[in-house]
Amino acid sequence: MADGQRIPSAESTTGEVKAEGETQMLSQTAIHPHIELSSDSVASDSADSQSAGAPVQPLTDEQIEAKLSYADIQRRKSRPRFWLLFLLSLLVVLIAPYGVGRWLAFNRTGRLITMLSSIDPRGIALLSWSVTVFCFVSLLMAFLDSMRVKWTAAFLFFLACVQFISGFCLLKARFWFSTYVVYGSAAGVANAANVGILAAAVGLAVFAVLYVVILVVVKKSSPLNVLTEDWAALIMFWAVEIIALVVCVFSVLRMFV
């Protein structure tokens, strides 16, 4: 061994590797400012890099979320712009289509009477019921799918259709008087549309009561507990809505047509 040359000691090598590991972890913290790394985590990661003998790899998204607190995770998942846009769109959808429908009812009455006279009341009842049910289903799917854009847009579209039908059919507590005054002999078709919307709403209320009763009364060990599953609840919802439609078409509709 020549003079002046010195073999690096194990301590100096360990210190260099540790310093390199800390530098890379600090760079990861700079890229992801929400991550708060303690000295223990830095030391443990540095120890792993020493044992592996390889440089520290960049953190994945799963590792980043594992190091975040619950508040940081919720802050990252929150979408204030999306919710603001959704609330504004909901306000417009609730007001504008209903106002347009009422304007048509009072200012284009003759044309509407001519159009409604050629429509079967049962067909318009089925149409209004279908639009209302799809509005409920799209809203439910939007909540189950974390307010995905496609379901949210579908809900707003079907809600606009329901509001428009309610507007030109003058839907309110005692709608049959208003529709007779405005539409005269064609009031039966407007009444059928209103009955279809109300049938879908009643079906939703009945389903909600049944679902809550199942959650409260049925034990987890009971075979009936399968009704609380998503697919079973959706089937039960459609069954209740179809029963409500049948009762609407073959019983209630006769009183208003």
Side-chain angles (χ1 to χ4, degrees), residues 47-145:
D48 294 338
S49 63
Q50 295 175 20
S51 61
V56 179
Q57 299 296 328
L59 296 176
T60 62
D61 294 337
E62 292 77 8
Q63 293 173 337
I64 293 173
E65 291 189 358
K67 294 179 180 293
L68 292 175
S69 64
Y70 179 77
D72 291 332
I73 294 174
Q74 295 299 320
R75 192 180 301 112
R76 290 182 63 184
K77 291 183 178 180
S78 64
R79 297 176 292 174
R81 294 182 180 178
F82 169 81
W83 285 105
L84 179 60
L85 180 61
F86 172 72
L87 293 177
L88 291 176
S89 301
L90 182 63
L91 184 63
V92 172
V93 166
L94 287 174
I95 297 175
Y98 186 85
V100 172
R102 287 184 65 88
W103 183 87
L104 291 174
F106 290 109
N107 295 276
R108 297 293 185 270
T109 308
R111 294 181 181 179
L112 288 178
I113 291 175
T114 304
M115 180 183 67
L116 294 177
S117 300
S118 60
I119 299 177
D120 186 359
R122 290 175 297 181
I124 195 67
L126 176 61
L127 175 63
S128 61
W129 173 87
S130 302
V131 171
T132 309
V133 170
F134 280 115
C135 177
F136 296 151
V137 172
S138 58
L139 177 61
L140 177 62
M141 294 300 298
F143 277 109
L144 293 178
D145 203 12

Side-chain angles (χ1 to χ4, degrees), residues 82 138 141-142 145 147-157:
F82 169 81
S138 58
M141 294 300 298
D145 203 12
M147 298 302 291
R148 192 70 61 87
V149 175
K150 60 180 181 181
W151 292 115
T152 305
F155 164 68
L156 293 175
F157 171 75

Side-chain angles (χ1 to χ4, degrees), residues 145-231:
D145 203 12
S146 302
M147 298 302 291
R148 192 70 61 87
V149 175
K150 60 180 181 181
W151 292 115
T152 305
F155 164 68
L156 293 175
F157 171 75
F158 286 116
L159 180 61
C161 295
V162 172
Q163 289 295 101
F164 178 75
I165 295 174
S166 302
F168 82 80
C169 291
L170 308 175
L171 178 61
K172 59 180 182 179
R174 304 181 69 179
F175 58 85
W176 50 91
F177 292 109
S178 301
T179 54
Y180 181 76
V181 171
V182 175
Y183 295 114
S185 59
V189 180
N191 292 338
N194 292 332
V195 170
I197 294 175
L198 294 177
V202 171
L204 177 64
V206 173
F207 165 75
V209 172
L210 289 176
Y211 191 76
V212 171
V213 169
I214 292 173
L215 290 177
V216 174
V217 176
V218 177
K219 297 181 180 179
K220 293 184 178 181
S221 59
S222 175
L224 294 176
N225 192 47
V226 71
L227 295 175
T228 59
E229 298 290 338
D230 294 340
W231 60 271

Side-chain angles (χ1 to χ4, degrees), residues 13-14 16-18 20-21 24 44-57:
T13 303
T14 303
E16 292 176 358
V17 174
K18 182 176 181 180
E20 182 181 358
Q24 294 187 9
S44 61
D45 293 335
S46 300
D48 294 338
S49 63
Q50 295 175 20
S51 61
V56 179
Q57 299 296 328

Side-chain angles (χ1 to χ4, degrees), residues 21-32:
E22 292 179 355
T23 302
Q24 294 187 9
M25 293 301 296
L26 291 175
S27 64
Q28 292 291 334
T29 307
I31 297 174
H32 306 282

